[in-house]
Structures are given as structure tokens and as C-alpha cells.
């Protein structure tokens, strides 16, 4: 079992993204309703956030609800929206204690007003915190985000603020919901599925992927450290050769 001491503190990923999957199967294995799994997911979020903050990660993006998740049974969707309120109420004091700033990405216009009010209150309350930035991806999908970015670019083009030849990777960034965050260095997906489910597709072009068969409600700090240690064993080449990367590392 990995501990905090096993992690190389000089090479901690700046930004970790997590697809928190497996709540429903966790509940089913215990002969419970799916919402029971979502309720028990909160402890895992709590531990991942604390572990990321203690390690000195700057950003933690957690996929809490996708655009496609709106298609789940109404009872589950309503249960999740209520749980959001409970999570925000219970976790805000811990975020304050750990200097964590809460932010959100996604189409929040679809979130019920009561849940959104609680969420916005927590965002406001933690806004001055200077430690880890925790980004809740809620009603989020990459295709939604890219469509929104295109709307913004076309609107600015119509106002004469941007021309087609000015569109580059860097000019696209300010139109994305993630404009204020660096790209994730590491993606962790629990639940055993080997896919990205419409999450941060643009941003994860060079992200390291770590897949775990563990179901999200069972995920604890040692599992987070394990993922970080695996990340630290990888060589990130960004298209260069291994020799080039090694030479660069020796220089720095
Ligand atoms: C992830 O767990 C949480 C959400 C998508 C909201 P699931 O609810 O997808 O759990 P499984 O994949 O059905 O086990
Ligand atoms: C991805 O999990 C979304 C979240 C974790 C919020 P899903 O359970 O919705 O993904 P698929 O449908 O199995 O790809
Ligand atoms: Mg799932």
C-alpha cells in the first residue's frame, strides 16, 4: 500500500483529473439502490481532495455529472442533485480548513436552482482560498464545451474581433470552459472502463491515463498515491524522442 512518503514531492502533477466511476455497481454488489453508491462516493471525493491538497497539486478536476447523465432515470438524477447540496454543505468547512477553492465547469443552466444556489454559495465562500483549486465538472461534456467555444469564436468573428487565419490552438483556449486551468497531467478513471466518456477531450491530448478496476466509493488516499507513483514512473515525451527528453532533464 502506497503512502505519502512514497511520492516524489519534486514531481507532483500540477493538475489531476478524475472520472469517478463505479458507484452504481458498488451499490448493486451490496444489494442496494444506485443512490446508495453515490452517497458513499462522497468519502472518496473527500480523501482525493485532501490527498491532492497535501501533495501540493494545484488543480483537481472531478467528473461528477456528464451531459449524458441527464438521460438516467429521473429518480437517480434528482437524487444526485440533492446529494450535491449535501456534499457542498458538508465539504465547505473542510475546503476552508484545507485552503481549497471550489470552481465548476459545465452547463450549470440545467442544474436545479436550489442545488445551484448552494453550489454558488460554496464557490463564493471558498473563492479567496489560495491552495488547491477543485473543479467540479457538472453537466459537463467535451462536445458541449467545444460547441460553446465555437459559438464564442463565431460571435467574435461576426464582431470583427477575430479572423479565420488568427484561429490557432492558443486562440481557441480562451473560449474553453477550462481557459483558466493548465491541461491535466494525469487522468485517473476508476470503475474498470477503458474510455474517456466525453471528458476533457481537447485538454487531454498529452495527459497520462491511469485506469483502476476499483469502484469509486472504495477509493482512498493510498489509491491516489498509487496513481501518482505510477504517473511518476512514466516518461512524458510530447512527441520528442526519449533521448531528447533525458538530455533536457539532465540540463534542468
Ligand atoms: C459514476 O458512477 C457516477 C456518475 C456517473 C454520476 P456510476 O453511477 O456511473 O456507476 P456505475 O458505472 O453504474 O457502476
Ligand atoms: C462518466 O461515467 C461520467 C462520470 C463519472 C460523471 P459514466 O458511467 O456516465 O460513463 P459511461 O456511460 O459508462 O461511459
Ligand atoms: Mg458508470
Amino acid at each position: 500500500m502506497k503512502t505519502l512518503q512514497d511520492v516524489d514531492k519534486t514531481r507532483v502533477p500540477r493538475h489531476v483529473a478524475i472520472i469517478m466511476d463505479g458507484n452504481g455497481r458498488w451499490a448493486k454488489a451490496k444489494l442496494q439502490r444506485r443512490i446508495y453508491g453515490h452517497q458513499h462516493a462522497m468519502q472518496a471525493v473527500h480523501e482525493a481532495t485532501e490527498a491532492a491538497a497535501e501533495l501540493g497539486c494545484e488543480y483537481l478536476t472531478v467528473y461528477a455529472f456528464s451531459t449524458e447523465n441527464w438521460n438516467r432515470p429521473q429518480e437517480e438524477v434528482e437524487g444526485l442533485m440533492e446529494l450535491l447540496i449535501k456534499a457542498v454543505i458538508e465539504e465547505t468547512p473542510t475546503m476552508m480548513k484545507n485552503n481549497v477553492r471550489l470552481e465548476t465547469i459545465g452547463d450549470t443552466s440545467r442544474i436545479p436552482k436550489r442545488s445551484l444556489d448552494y453550489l454558488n454559495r460554496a464557490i463564493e465562500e471558498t473563492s479567496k482560498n489560495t491552495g488547491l483549486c477543485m473543479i467540479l465538472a457538472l453537466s459537463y461534456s467535451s462536445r458541449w464545451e467545444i460547441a460553446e467555444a465555437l459559438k464564442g469564436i463565431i460571435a467574435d468573428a461576426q464582431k470583427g474581433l477575430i479572423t479565420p487565419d488568427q484561429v490557432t490552438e492558443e486562440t481557441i483556449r480562451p473560449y474553453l470552459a477550462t481557459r483558466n486551468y493548465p491541461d491535466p497531467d494525469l487522468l485517473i478513471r476508476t470503475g474498470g472502463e477503458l474510455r474517456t466518456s466525453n471528458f476533457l477531450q481537447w485538454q487531454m491530448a498529452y495527459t497520462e491515463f491511469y485506469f483502476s478496476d476499483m469502484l469509486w466509493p472504495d477509493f482512498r488516499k493510498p489509491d491516489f498515491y498509487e496513481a501518482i507513483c505510477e504517473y511518476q514512473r512514466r516518461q512524458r515525451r510530447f512527441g520528442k524522442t526519449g533521448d531528447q527528453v533525458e538530455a533536457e532533464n539532465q540540463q534542468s
Side-chain angles (χ1 to χ4, degrees):
M1 195 157 55
K2 289 282 189 282
T3 66
L4 188 57
Q5 277 67 44
D6 294 311
V7 178
D8 176 354
K9 311 295 180 308
T10 65
R11 289 190 304 122
V12 169
R14 261 187 100 188
H15 185 174
V16 177
I18 308 183
I19 300 179
M20 312 183 289
D21 197 18
N23 301 351
R25 279 164 285 166
W26 186 89
K28 204 171 172 188
K30 295 184 160 43
L31 307 177
Q32 298 283 343
R33 287 158 61 228
R34 294 178 57 83
I35 199 72
Y36 183 75
H38 298 313
Q39 285 160 353
H40 283 263
M42 273 165 53
Q43 183 60 29
V45 178
H46 179 93
E47 296 221 5
T49 312
E50 260 195 359
E54 282 162 6
L55 273 180
C57 298
E58 292 174 57
Y59 302 89
L60 177 72
T61 303
V62 294
Y63 205 6
F65 194 85
S66 72
T67 304
E68 288 75 23
N69 290 151
W70 287 113
N71 299 323
R72 290 193 176 190
Q74 194 187 347
E75 179 194 85
E76 184 170 345
V77 171
E78 285 175 2
L80 280 165
M81 293 302 144
E82 278 303 307
L83 260 184
L84 175 62
I85 297 176
K86 190 167 179 279
V88 154
I89 292 173
E90 285 180 9
E91 287 302 314
T92 302
T94 320
M95 288 191 281
M96 293 307 290
K97 183 188 100 195
N98 292 328
N99 197 19
V100 175
R101 190 167 71 258
L102 181 68
E103 299 192 358
T104 183
I105 51 171
D107 184 5
T108 45
S109 68
R110 297 183 71 179
I111 306 281
K113 187 178 177 309
R114 211 171 82 85
S115 305
L116 194 57
D117 285 348
Y118 276 97
L119 179 66
N120 283 335
R121 222 174 292 164
I123 289 173
E124 172 61 32
E125 202 178 325
T126 61
S127 64
K128 303 273 185 312
N129 291 344
T130 53
L132 175 76
C133 177
M134 185 191 186
I135 303 142
L136 209 53
L138 256 186
S139 186
Y140 171 88
S141 73
S142 265
R143 289 181 178 178
W144 163 82
E145 182 187 31
I146 290 168
E148 287 299 303
L150 273 175
K151 274 190 221 165
I153 293 170
I154 292 169
D156 280 353
Q158 283 174 338
K159 288 185 219 148
L161 297 172
I162 189 165
T163 59
D165 53 304
Q166 285 170 336
V167 177
T168 64
E169 290 180 23
E170 285 317 307
T171 52
I172 288 172
R173 183 176 284 276
Y175 295 92
L176 296 171
T178 53
R179 65 185 77 82
N180 297 325
Y181 317 126
D183 292 342
D185 301 293
L186 169 67
L187 169 77
I188 299 171
R189 181 174 188 145
T190 60
E193 311 297 350
L194 305 180
R195 54 178 173 258
T196 51
S197 303
N198 218 347
F199 189 42
L200 302 173
Q201 297 297 146
W202 172 275
Q203 298 82 349
M204 296 203 300
Y206 270 104
T207 297
E208 296 296 329
F209 287 9
Y210 177 87
F211 294 103
S212 163
D213 287 336
M214 184 170 262
L215 303 174
W216 177 252
D218 289 327
F219 197 84
R220 293 291 176 270
K221 282 186 185 183
D223 307 305
F224 189 84
Y225 301 142
E226 177 73 56
I228 304 290
C229 289
E230 165 61 30
Y231 164 83
Q232 292 183 333
R233 286 193 285 272
R234 309 257 180 101
Q235 184 189 50
R236 303 185 73 190
R237 291 193 281 274
F238 299 97
K240 294 184 179 174
T241 68
D243 288 346
Q244 279 179 301
V245 174
E246 270 173 37
E248 283 170 6
N249 288 346
Q250 268 157 22
Q251 274 165 20
S252 65

